[in-house]
Amino acid sequence: MPHNSHKIAVIPGDGIGPEITNVAFEILQHVAKKNSVTYIERVFPFGGNHYLLTGETLSQESIEELKKYDAIFMGAIGSPKIKTGILEKGILLNIRLSLDLYINYRPVKLYPGVDTPIKDKTPSDIDFVVIRENTGGMYSGVGGVSMKGTLDEVAINTKVYNYKQVSRCIRYAFKIAQSRPRKLIALIGKTNILTYVFDLWERVFKEIGEKEFPEIKREYYNVDAACMHIIKSPEKFDVIVTSNTFGDIITEIGAVIQGGIEMAASSNLNPEKTTPSMFAPVSSSALDITAQNKANPIAAIISMKMMLAFLGEHNAADDIEKALQKVTPMNLDRMSTKEIAKAFMNGL
Ligand code: IPM
Ligand code: MN
Protein backbone atom coordinates (compact mmCIF):
# COMPACT_ATOMS: atom_id res chain seq x y z
CA MET A 1 0.00 0.00 0.00
CA PRO A 2 1.41 3.46 -0.82
CA HIS A 3 2.61 5.34 2.24
CA ASN A 4 -0.02 8.06 1.88
CA SER A 5 -2.94 5.66 2.14
CA HIS A 6 -5.21 6.92 4.88
CA LYS A 7 -7.39 4.63 6.96
CA ILE A 8 -10.75 6.22 7.61
CA ALA A 9 -13.39 4.96 10.02
CA VAL A 10 -16.84 6.08 8.92
CA ILE A 11 -19.74 6.39 11.33
CA PRO A 12 -22.71 7.54 9.21
CA GLY A 13 -25.06 7.30 12.20
CA ASP A 14 -28.76 8.13 12.20
CA GLY A 15 -31.28 10.30 10.39
CA ILE A 16 -29.71 12.36 7.63
CA GLY A 17 -26.24 11.19 8.73
CA PRO A 18 -25.89 8.49 6.05
CA GLU A 19 -27.14 10.78 3.23
CA ILE A 20 -24.75 13.62 3.94
CA THR A 21 -21.90 11.19 4.64
CA ASN A 22 -22.47 9.62 1.22
CA VAL A 23 -22.17 12.98 -0.48
CA ALA A 24 -18.96 13.77 1.42
CA PHE A 25 -17.44 10.44 0.40
CA GLU A 26 -18.49 10.83 -3.22
CA ILE A 27 -16.53 14.07 -3.18
CA LEU A 28 -13.63 12.44 -1.39
CA GLN A 29 -13.46 9.78 -4.07
CA HIS A 30 -13.25 12.42 -6.76
CA VAL A 31 -10.64 14.70 -5.17
CA ALA A 32 -8.60 11.71 -4.01
CA LYS A 33 -8.35 10.38 -7.55
CA LYS A 34 -7.45 13.76 -8.94
CA ASN A 35 -4.70 14.34 -6.36
CA SER A 36 -3.42 10.75 -6.12
CA VAL A 37 -4.58 10.42 -2.55
CA THR A 38 -5.24 6.84 -1.54
CA TYR A 39 -7.40 5.77 1.34
CA ILE A 40 -9.36 2.87 2.65
CA GLU A 41 -12.60 3.26 4.52
CA ARG A 42 -14.58 1.05 6.84
CA VAL A 43 -18.11 1.80 7.88
CA PHE A 44 -19.08 1.31 11.53
CA PRO A 45 -22.72 1.00 12.60
CA PHE A 46 -22.61 3.03 15.84
CA GLY A 47 -25.52 5.31 16.60
CA GLY A 48 -29.09 5.20 17.84
CA ASN A 49 -30.25 2.31 15.66
CA HIS A 50 -27.26 0.20 16.61
CA TYR A 51 -27.92 0.92 20.28
CA LEU A 52 -31.57 -0.08 19.97
CA LEU A 53 -30.58 -3.32 18.24
CA THR A 54 -27.60 -4.34 20.34
CA GLY A 55 -27.51 -2.30 23.54
CA GLU A 56 -24.03 -1.04 22.59
CA THR A 57 -23.31 2.67 22.48
CA LEU A 58 -19.56 2.30 21.98
CA SER A 59 -17.73 -0.45 23.81
CA GLN A 60 -14.11 -0.34 24.90
CA GLU A 61 -13.36 -2.90 22.18
CA SER A 62 -14.89 -0.62 19.57
CA ILE A 63 -12.77 2.25 20.85
CA GLU A 64 -9.68 0.05 20.49
CA GLU A 65 -10.78 -0.76 16.95
CA LEU A 66 -11.23 2.91 16.09
CA LYS A 67 -7.71 3.63 17.33
CA LYS A 68 -6.37 1.67 14.35
CA TYR A 69 -7.58 4.37 11.96
CA ASP A 70 -6.06 7.69 10.93
CA ALA A 71 -9.33 9.62 11.08
CA ILE A 72 -12.99 9.18 11.94
CA PHE A 73 -15.74 10.75 9.88
CA MET A 74 -19.15 10.98 11.55
CA GLY A 75 -22.51 11.90 9.98
CA ALA A 76 -25.01 12.51 12.77
CA ILE A 77 -26.18 10.66 15.83
CA GLY A 78 -29.51 10.79 17.64
CA SER A 79 -32.82 9.05 18.13
CA PRO A 80 -36.00 10.23 19.86
CA LYS A 81 -36.52 6.67 21.12
CA ILE A 82 -33.48 6.92 23.37
CA LYS A 83 -33.30 8.82 26.64
CA THR A 84 -31.35 12.02 26.17
CA GLY A 85 -27.74 11.78 27.31
CA ILE A 86 -27.16 8.12 26.53
CA LEU A 87 -25.86 8.50 22.99
CA GLU A 88 -24.27 11.87 23.70
CA LYS A 89 -22.22 10.50 26.57
CA GLY A 90 -21.90 6.94 25.29
CA ILE A 91 -20.67 7.82 21.82
CA LEU A 92 -19.69 11.46 21.31
CA LEU A 93 -18.14 12.26 24.67
CA ASN A 94 -16.74 8.76 24.88
CA ILE A 95 -14.85 9.26 21.61
CA ARG A 96 -13.67 12.74 22.60
CA LEU A 97 -12.38 11.56 25.98
CA SER A 98 -11.10 8.08 25.12
CA LEU A 99 -9.14 9.37 22.14
CA ASP A 100 -8.10 12.55 23.96
CA LEU A 101 -9.49 14.77 21.19
CA TYR A 102 -8.86 17.84 23.25
CA ILE A 103 -9.57 20.49 20.62
CA ASN A 104 -12.93 21.16 19.06
CA TYR A 105 -12.14 23.29 16.03
CA ARG A 106 -15.16 25.04 14.52
CA PRO A 107 -14.87 27.45 11.62
CA VAL A 108 -17.43 30.25 11.46
CA LYS A 109 -17.23 31.42 7.89
CA LEU A 110 -19.86 33.02 5.74
CA TYR A 111 -19.54 31.60 2.25
CA PRO A 112 -20.40 33.74 -0.78
CA GLY A 113 -24.09 33.87 -1.61
CA VAL A 114 -25.17 32.46 1.74
CA ASP A 115 -27.69 34.56 3.67
CA THR A 116 -26.72 35.74 7.12
CA PRO A 117 -29.39 37.19 9.40
CA ILE A 118 -26.90 39.88 10.43
CA LYS A 119 -27.69 42.99 8.42
CA ASP A 120 -25.04 44.36 6.07
CA LYS A 121 -22.44 41.72 6.87
CA THR A 122 -20.55 40.03 4.06
CA PRO A 123 -18.11 37.10 3.84
CA SER A 124 -15.23 39.44 4.65
CA ASP A 125 -16.88 40.27 8.00
CA ILE A 126 -17.60 36.73 9.14
CA ASP A 127 -14.55 34.51 9.08
CA PHE A 128 -13.25 33.29 12.40
CA VAL A 129 -12.55 30.00 14.14
CA VAL A 130 -13.60 28.88 17.57
CA ILE A 131 -11.13 26.70 19.43
CA ARG A 132 -13.25 25.02 22.05
CA GLU A 133 -11.60 23.02 24.80
CA ASN A 134 -13.05 19.54 24.33
CA THR A 135 -12.29 17.35 27.34
CA GLY A 136 -12.95 19.28 30.54
CA GLY A 137 -15.02 21.97 32.14
CA MET A 138 -18.65 21.14 32.77
CA TYR A 139 -18.25 18.11 30.50
CA SER A 140 -15.94 16.42 33.01
CA GLY A 141 -18.82 14.52 34.57
CA VAL A 142 -17.89 15.72 38.05
CA GLY A 143 -20.95 16.19 40.22
CA GLY A 144 -23.85 14.26 41.61
CA VAL A 145 -27.27 14.35 43.11
CA SER A 146 -28.66 13.62 46.53
CA MET A 147 -32.14 13.39 48.00
CA LYS A 148 -33.50 13.19 44.50
CA GLY A 149 -37.19 13.86 44.14
CA THR A 150 -37.49 15.60 47.51
CA LEU A 151 -37.70 19.27 48.36
CA ASP A 152 -34.13 18.98 49.60
CA GLU A 153 -32.76 17.67 46.33
CA VAL A 154 -29.22 18.87 45.64
CA ALA A 155 -27.85 18.65 42.10
CA ILE A 156 -24.28 19.48 41.18
CA ASN A 157 -22.42 19.70 37.88
CA THR A 158 -19.02 21.22 38.35
CA LYS A 159 -16.73 23.08 36.01
CA VAL A 160 -13.34 21.43 36.34
CA TYR A 161 -10.09 22.46 34.67
CA ASN A 162 -6.48 21.63 35.26
CA TYR A 163 -3.38 23.45 34.05
CA LYS A 164 -2.60 20.80 31.44
CA GLN A 165 -6.00 21.00 29.78
CA VAL A 166 -5.98 24.77 29.71
CA SER A 167 -2.41 25.21 28.50
CA ARG A 168 -2.52 22.69 25.67
CA CYS A 169 -5.75 24.20 24.37
CA ILE A 170 -4.49 27.76 24.57
CA ARG A 171 -1.16 26.87 22.97
CA TYR A 172 -2.96 25.21 20.05
CA ALA A 173 -5.20 28.25 19.60
CA PHE A 174 -2.17 30.55 19.47
CA LYS A 175 -0.65 28.32 16.78
CA ILE A 176 -3.83 28.67 14.73
CA ALA A 177 -3.73 32.45 15.21
CA GLN A 178 -0.11 32.41 14.05
CA SER A 179 -1.10 30.59 10.86
CA ARG A 180 -3.72 33.20 9.97
CA PRO A 181 -3.01 36.66 8.58
CA ARG A 182 -4.63 38.82 11.26
CA LYS A 183 -2.51 37.54 14.20
CA LEU A 184 -5.38 38.09 16.58
CA ILE A 185 -6.77 35.92 19.36
CA ALA A 186 -9.59 36.43 21.86
CA LEU A 187 -10.05 34.50 25.07
CA ILE A 188 -13.68 34.20 26.09
CA GLY A 189 -14.34 33.50 29.75
CA LYS A 190 -16.15 34.80 32.80
CA THR A 191 -13.43 36.18 35.02
CA ASN A 192 -15.85 38.37 36.95
CA ILE A 193 -17.75 35.44 38.44
CA LEU A 194 -15.96 32.15 37.75
CA THR A 195 -12.91 33.57 39.48
CA TYR A 196 -11.06 30.29 40.00
CA VAL A 197 -11.43 28.65 36.62
CA PHE A 198 -11.02 31.73 34.46
CA ASP A 199 -8.24 33.14 36.57
CA LEU A 200 -6.36 30.00 35.53
CA TRP A 201 -7.35 30.51 31.88
CA GLU A 202 -6.42 34.18 31.93
CA ARG A 203 -3.01 33.62 33.52
CA VAL A 204 -2.12 30.81 31.13
CA PHE A 205 -3.33 32.87 28.17
CA LYS A 206 -1.09 35.78 29.15
CA GLU A 207 1.87 33.57 30.03
CA ILE A 208 1.85 31.55 26.80
CA GLY A 209 1.05 34.61 24.72
CA GLU A 210 3.87 36.72 26.14
CA LYS A 211 6.50 34.01 26.12
CA GLU A 212 5.76 32.02 23.00
CA PHE A 213 3.63 34.19 20.71
CA PRO A 214 4.56 37.82 21.29
CA GLU A 215 3.48 38.77 17.74
CA ILE A 216 -0.14 37.73 18.37
CA LYS A 217 -2.50 40.42 19.65
CA ARG A 218 -4.48 39.20 22.67
CA GLU A 219 -7.98 40.26 23.63
CA TYR A 220 -10.34 39.16 26.37
CA TYR A 221 -14.16 39.10 26.51
CA ASN A 222 -16.56 37.92 29.15
CA VAL A 223 -18.86 35.38 27.56
CA ASP A 224 -22.05 37.44 27.90
CA ALA A 225 -20.49 40.46 26.23
CA ALA A 226 -18.93 38.20 23.61
CA CYS A 227 -22.39 36.92 22.61
CA MET A 228 -23.33 40.49 21.82
CA HIS A 229 -20.13 41.37 19.99
CA ILE A 230 -20.19 38.21 17.85
CA ILE A 231 -23.61 39.22 16.53
CA LYS A 232 -23.06 42.98 16.30
CA SER A 233 -19.48 42.99 15.06
CA PRO A 234 -18.34 39.54 13.97
CA GLU A 235 -15.44 41.17 12.11
CA LYS A 236 -13.79 41.79 15.49
CA PHE A 237 -12.92 38.11 15.76
CA ASP A 238 -10.30 35.94 14.13
CA VAL A 239 -9.44 33.14 16.58
CA ILE A 240 -11.53 32.57 19.68
CA VAL A 241 -10.33 30.25 22.41
CA THR A 242 -12.70 29.21 25.15
CA SER A 243 -13.91 26.53 27.53
CA ASN A 244 -16.00 23.51 26.58
CA THR A 245 -19.47 24.82 27.48
CA PHE A 246 -18.89 28.38 26.35
CA GLY A 247 -17.55 27.03 23.06
CA ASP A 248 -20.62 24.83 22.69
CA ILE A 249 -22.91 27.83 23.08
CA ILE A 250 -20.88 30.36 21.10
CA THR A 251 -20.64 28.04 18.10
CA GLU A 252 -24.43 27.87 17.88
CA ILE A 253 -24.41 31.66 17.49
CA GLY A 254 -21.63 31.10 14.98
CA ALA A 255 -23.79 28.62 13.10
CA VAL A 256 -26.62 31.13 12.82
CA ILE A 257 -24.47 33.98 11.54
CA GLN A 258 -22.75 31.75 8.98
CA GLY A 259 -26.09 30.87 7.44
CA GLY A 260 -27.49 28.06 9.57
CA ILE A 261 -26.59 24.83 11.26
CA GLU A 262 -26.21 23.12 7.88
CA MET A 263 -23.15 25.31 7.26
CA ALA A 264 -21.49 24.42 10.58
CA ALA A 265 -18.66 21.91 10.52
CA SER A 266 -16.44 20.71 13.31
CA SER A 267 -13.34 18.72 13.98
CA ASN A 268 -12.42 17.02 17.21
CA LEU A 269 -8.65 17.00 17.16
CA ASN A 270 -5.73 15.36 18.79
CA PRO A 271 -3.12 17.74 17.37
CA GLU A 272 -0.23 15.36 18.18
CA LYS A 273 -1.95 12.73 16.02
CA THR A 274 -1.41 9.97 18.56
CA THR A 275 -5.04 8.98 18.06
CA PRO A 276 -7.46 9.46 15.13
CA SER A 277 -9.19 12.82 15.05
CA MET A 278 -12.90 12.99 14.31
CA PHE A 279 -14.63 15.19 11.73
CA ALA A 280 -18.37 15.81 11.73
CA PRO A 281 -21.02 18.38 10.91
CA VAL A 282 -22.42 20.16 13.97
CA SER A 283 -25.92 19.49 12.63
CA SER A 284 -28.40 17.15 14.23
CA SER A 285 -29.73 13.91 12.81
CA ALA A 286 -32.81 15.87 11.55
CA LEU A 287 -35.10 12.85 11.58
CA ASP A 288 -38.00 14.92 10.25
CA ILE A 289 -36.33 15.22 6.84
CA THR A 290 -34.55 11.87 6.74
CA ALA A 291 -34.41 10.03 3.40
CA GLN A 292 -36.34 12.76 1.59
CA ASN A 293 -33.42 14.08 -0.44
CA LYS A 294 -33.76 17.36 1.48
CA ALA A 295 -30.68 17.41 3.71
CA ASN A 296 -28.07 20.06 2.98
CA PRO A 297 -24.68 18.28 2.90
CA ILE A 298 -22.47 21.40 3.01
CA ALA A 299 -21.37 20.99 6.65
CA ALA A 300 -20.39 17.41 5.89
CA ILE A 301 -18.44 18.61 2.85
CA ILE A 302 -16.62 21.25 4.92
CA SER A 303 -15.87 18.56 7.51
CA MET A 304 -14.39 16.42 4.74
CA LYS A 305 -12.21 19.34 3.67
CA MET A 306 -10.96 19.73 7.23
CA MET A 307 -10.23 16.01 7.44
CA LEU A 308 -8.13 16.11 4.28
CA ALA A 309 -6.22 19.18 5.47
CA PHE A 310 -5.55 17.54 8.83
CA LEU A 311 -4.26 14.42 7.07
CA GLY A 312 -1.86 16.65 5.15
CA GLU A 313 -3.72 16.43 1.83
CA HIS A 314 -3.76 20.16 1.21
CA ASN A 315 -4.31 20.04 -2.54
CA ALA A 316 -7.39 17.89 -2.18
CA ALA A 317 -8.66 20.14 0.63
CA ASP A 318 -8.08 23.23 -1.54
CA ASP A 319 -10.05 21.66 -4.37
CA ILE A 320 -13.02 21.26 -2.03
CA GLU A 321 -12.69 24.85 -0.81
CA LYS A 322 -12.65 26.18 -4.38
CA ALA A 323 -15.74 24.15 -5.26
CA LEU A 324 -17.49 25.45 -2.12
CA GLN A 325 -16.88 29.01 -3.27
CA LYS A 326 -18.52 28.16 -6.60
CA VAL A 327 -21.48 26.22 -5.22
CA THR A 328 -22.62 28.28 -2.23
CA PRO A 329 -23.90 31.20 -4.37
CA MET A 330 -26.38 28.82 -6.03
CA ASN A 331 -29.37 29.23 -3.72
CA LEU A 332 -28.87 25.94 -1.93
CA ASP A 333 -32.11 26.30 0.06
CA ARG A 334 -34.07 25.43 -3.03
CA MET A 335 -31.90 22.45 -3.97
CA SER A 336 -32.17 18.79 -3.03
CA THR A 337 -29.28 16.82 -1.53
CA LYS A 338 -28.63 15.20 -4.90
CA GLU A 339 -28.73 18.52 -6.76
CA ILE A 340 -26.24 20.06 -4.36
CA ALA A 341 -24.00 17.01 -4.70
CA LYS A 342 -24.18 17.23 -8.49
CA ALA A 343 -23.45 20.96 -8.56
CA PHE A 344 -20.52 20.30 -6.30
CA MET A 345 -19.09 17.52 -8.46
CA ASN A 346 -19.38 19.83 -11.48
CA GLY A 347 -17.51 22.53 -9.54
CA LEU A 348 -14.58 20.27 -8.72
C1 IPM B 1 -21.92 19.61 20.05
C2 IPM B 1 -23.10 18.96 20.67
C3 IPM B 1 -22.63 18.05 21.78
C4 IPM B 1 -21.92 18.89 22.81
C5 IPM B 1 -23.72 17.22 22.45
C6 IPM B 1 -24.53 16.46 21.43
C7 IPM B 1 -23.13 16.29 23.49
O1 IPM B 1 -24.00 19.89 21.12
O2 IPM B 1 -21.05 18.89 19.52
O3 IPM B 1 -21.83 20.83 20.08
O4 IPM B 1 -22.56 19.46 23.70
O5 IPM B 1 -20.70 19.00 22.73
MN1 MN C 1 -23.45 21.92 20.69
Side-chain angles (χ1 to χ4, degrees):
M1 202 175 287
H3 69 281
N4 65 341
S5 194
H6 306 290
K7 291 173 74 182
I8 303 165
V10 192
I11 307 177
D14 308 307
I16 62 167
E19 298 160 56
I20 57 178
T21 301
N22 276 343
V23 174
F25 276 80
E26 220 180 295
I27 288 161
L28 172 62
Q29 203 178 29
H30 186 100
V31 296
K33 201 167 164 212
K34 186 172 160 217
N35 294 284
S36 312
V37 174
T38 55
Y39 64 95
I40 52 166
E41 59 180 87
R42 181 173 152 201
V43 176
F44 289 87
F46 312 120
N49 290 330
H50 180 72
Y51 174 70
L52 290 170
L53 284 170
T54 65
E56 179 196 13
T57 48
L58 194 60
S59 64
Q60 191 52 41
E61 279 152 40
S62 302
I63 290 279
E64 293 308 319
E65 190 57 35
L66 289 175
K67 283 186 185 164
K68 297 178 187 158
Y69 289 78
D70 298 314
I72 302 168
F73 189 95
M74 182 183 274
I77 282 190
S79 163
K81 295 186 196 134
I82 302 168
K83 191 169 169 250
T84 185
I86 292 186
L87 298 176
E88 290 87 340
K89 286 190 175 174
I91 300 179
L92 261 181
L93 293 207
N94 191 357
I95 291 179
R96 289 175 186 173
L97 294 182
S98 305
L99 302 180
D100 202 20
L101 307 182
Y102 64 86
I103 297 292
N104 199 322
Y105 179 114
R106 297 187 167 183
V108 178
K109 181 175 159 86
L110 180 65
Y111 275 92
V114 176
D115 274 343
T116 176
I118 312 299
K119 195 166 159 255
D120 297 335
K121 298 295 175 192
T122 65
S124 64
D125 299 309
I126 302 177
D127 186 4
F128 60 89
V129 298
V130 179
I131 306 298
R132 161 183 175 191
E133 199 291 323
N134 211 29
T135 57
M138 292 209 275
Y139 286 66
S140 302
V142 174
V145 61
S146 70
M147 294 171 281
K148 190 164 181 170
T150 72
L151 291 178
D152 294 313
E153 177 166 347
V154 178
I156 303 174
N157 281 103
T158 312
K159 187 164 187 128
V160 183
Y161 269 115
N162 65 30
Y163 179 85
K164 175 181 144 190
Q165 289 169 321
V166 174
S167 58
R168 66 185 183 175
C169 174
I170 286 180
R171 186 169 284 112
Y172 178 80
F174 270 108
K175 285 187 187 151
I176 297 299
Q178 204 173 39
S179 74
R180 294 168 62 94
R182 291 177 65 189
K183 315 286 174 216
L184 176 63
I185 191 169
L187 170 66
I188 293 183
K190 187 76 187 171
T191 48
N192 51 351
I193 291 293
L194 303 176
T195 43
Y196 308 123
V197 164
F198 284 107
D199 175 62
L200 174 61
W201 277 80
E202 209 178 25
R203 268 183 293 125
V204 174
F205 184 63
K206 181 160 183 270
E207 185 186 295
I208 292 180
E210 270 177 4
K211 276 203 198 123
E212 300 172 34
F213 303 91
E215 75 283 17
I216 308 292
K217 183 168 189 290
R218 298 189 304 272
E219 291 180 338
Y220 172 80
Y221 296 86
N222 281 327
V223 64
D224 46 354
C227 289
M228 186 184 73
H229 289 294
I230 290 171
I231 292 171
K232 255 181 103 173
S233 323
E235 68 280 0
K236 283 190 173 146
F237 298 95
D238 189 57
V239 173
I240 288 174
V241 60
T242 192
S243 65
N244 209 339
T245 311
F246 290 172
D248 181 40
I249 297 166
I250 285 167
T251 52
E252 295 279 318
I253 297 179
V256 172
I257 71 170
Q258 70 188 324
I261 195 87
E262 61 277 11
M263 301 302 297
S266 80
S267 27
N268 297 261
L269 305 176
N270 177 285
E272 288 73 34
K273 303 194 177 173
T274 49
T275 52
S277 292
M278 179 167 74
F279 302 82
V282 178
S283 57
S284 76
S285 43
L287 293 155
D288 51 325
I289 57 161
T290 297
Q292 295 171 34
N293 195 21
K294 280 185 187 163
N296 181 330
I298 295 289
I301 296 172
I302 300 172
S303 302
M304 181 57 78
K305 179 193 96 172
M306 293 198 291
M307 185 181 89
L308 284 164
F310 195 74
L311 292 171
E313 301 295 354
H314 297 286
N315 293 338
D318 288 348
D319 282 348
I320 295 186
E321 178 63 23
K322 281 183 206 135
L324 277 164
Q325 302 277 345
K326 285 189 217 161
V327 170
T328 55
M330 293 181 183
N331 209 346
L332 301 183
D333 285 351
R334 300 234 182 94
M335 288 161 79
S336 68
T337 313
K338 294 216 165 84
E339 281 165 344
I340 297 176
K342 192 161 168 236
F344 207 92
M345 297 297 280
N346 290 336
L348 281 170

Coordinates of all heavy atoms in Angstrom, one line a residue, residues 88-89 92-93 96 104 106 132 134 139 244 248 251-252 266 282, ligand 1:
E88 N -25.2 10.8 23.6 CA -24.3 11.9 23.7 C -23.0 11.5 24.5 O -21.9 11.7 24.1 CB -25.0 13.1 24.4 CG -26.0 13.8 23.5 CD -27.4 13.1 23.6 OE1 -27.5 12.0 24.1 OE2 -28.4 13.8 23.3
K89 N -23.3 10.9 25.7 CA -22.2 10.5 26.6 C -21.6 9.2 26.1 O -20.4 9.1 26.1 CB -22.7 10.3 28.0 CG -23.0 11.6 28.7 CD -23.2 11.4 30.2 CE -23.4 12.7 30.9 NZ -23.8 12.5 32.3
L92 N -20.5 10.2 21.6 CA -19.7 11.5 21.3 C -18.6 11.8 22.4 O -17.5 11.9 22.1 CB -20.6 12.6 21.2 CG -21.1 13.1 19.8 CD1 -22.0 14.3 20.0 CD2 -19.9 13.4 19.0
L93 N -19.1 11.9 23.6 CA -18.1 12.3 24.7 C -17.1 11.1 24.9 O -16.0 11.4 25.2 CB -18.9 12.6 26.0 CG -19.7 13.8 26.0 CD1 -19.8 14.4 27.4 CD2 -19.2 14.9 25.1
R96 N -14.5 11.6 22.3 CA -13.7 12.7 22.6 C -12.7 12.4 23.7 O -11.5 12.8 23.7 CB -14.5 13.9 23.0 CG -15.3 14.5 21.8 CD -16.3 15.6 22.3 NE -17.1 16.1 21.2 CZ -18.1 17.0 21.4 NH1 -18.4 17.4 22.6 NH2 -18.9 17.4 20.4
N104 N -11.8 21.1 20.0 CA -12.9 21.2 19.1 C -12.8 22.4 18.2 O -13.0 23.5 18.7 CB -14.2 21.1 19.8 CG -15.4 20.7 19.0 OD1 -15.5 21.0 17.8 ND2 -16.3 19.9 19.5
R106 N -13.9 24.7 15.3 CA -15.2 25.0 14.5 C -15.0 26.3 13.7 O -15.0 27.4 14.3 CB -16.4 25.1 15.5 CG -16.6 23.8 16.2 CD -17.8 23.7 17.0 NE -18.1 22.3 17.3 CZ -19.2 21.9 18.0 NH1 -20.1 22.8 18.4 NH2 -19.3 20.6 18.3
R132 N -12.5 25.4 20.8 CA -13.2 25.0 22.0 C -12.5 23.9 22.8 O -12.2 22.9 22.1 CB -14.7 24.6 21.6 CG -15.4 23.7 22.6 CD -16.8 23.3 22.1 NE -17.4 22.4 23.0 CZ -18.5 21.7 22.8 NH1 -19.1 21.7 21.6 NH2 -19.0 20.9 23.7
N134 N -12.1 20.6 24.6 CA -13.1 19.5 24.3 C -13.0 18.4 25.3 O -13.6 17.3 25.0 CB -12.7 19.0 22.9 CG -13.9 18.5 22.2 OD1 -15.0 19.0 22.4 ND2 -13.7 17.6 21.3
Y139 N -18.1 19.4 31.1 CA -18.2 18.1 30.5 C -17.4 17.0 31.2 O -17.4 15.9 30.7 CB -17.8 18.2 29.0 CG -18.8 18.9 28.1 CD1 -19.1 20.2 28.3 CD2 -19.5 18.2 27.1 CE1 -20.0 20.9 27.5 CE2 -20.4 18.9 26.3 CZ -20.7 20.2 26.5 OH -21.6 20.8 25.7
N244 N -15.1 24.5 27.2 CA -16.0 23.5 26.6 C -17.4 24.0 26.4 O -18.0 24.1 25.3 CB -15.9 22.2 27.4 CG -16.2 21.0 26.6 OD1 -16.8 21.1 25.5 ND2 -15.8 19.8 27.1
D248 N -19.4 25.5 23.2 CA -20.6 24.8 22.7 C -21.7 25.9 22.3 O -22.3 25.8 21.3 CB -21.1 23.9 23.8 CG -22.4 23.1 23.4 OD1 -22.4 22.7 22.2 OD2 -23.3 23.0 24.2
T251 N -20.7 28.6 19.5 CA -20.6 28.0 18.1 C -22.1 27.9 17.5 O -22.2 27.7 16.3 CB -19.8 26.7 18.0 OG1 -20.3 25.8 18.9 CG2 -18.4 27.0 18.1
E252 N -23.1 27.9 18.4 CA -24.4 27.9 17.9 C -24.8 29.3 17.4 O -25.4 29.4 16.3 CB -25.5 27.5 19.0 CG -25.3 26.1 19.4 CD -26.0 25.0 18.5 OE1 -27.1 25.2 18.1 OE2 -25.4 23.9 18.4
S266 N -17.3 20.7 12.1 CA -16.4 20.7 13.3 C -15.4 19.6 13.2 O -15.6 18.6 12.5 CB -17.3 20.5 14.6 OG -17.6 19.2 14.8
V282 N -21.8 19.9 12.7 CA -22.4 20.2 14.0 C -23.9 19.8 14.0 O -24.5 19.5 15.0 CB -22.3 21.7 14.3 CG1 -22.9 22.0 15.6 CG2 -20.8 22.1 14.3
Ligands
IPM1 C1 -21.9 19.6 20.1 C2 -23.1 19.0 20.7 C3 -22.6 18.1 21.8 C4 -21.9 18.9 22.8 C5 -23.7 17.2 22.4 C6 -24.5 16.5 21.4 C7 -23.1 16.3 23.5 O1 -24.0 19.9 21.1 O2 -21.0 18.9 19.5 O3 -21.8 20.8 20.1 O4 -22.6 19.5 23.7 O5 -20.7 19.0 22.7

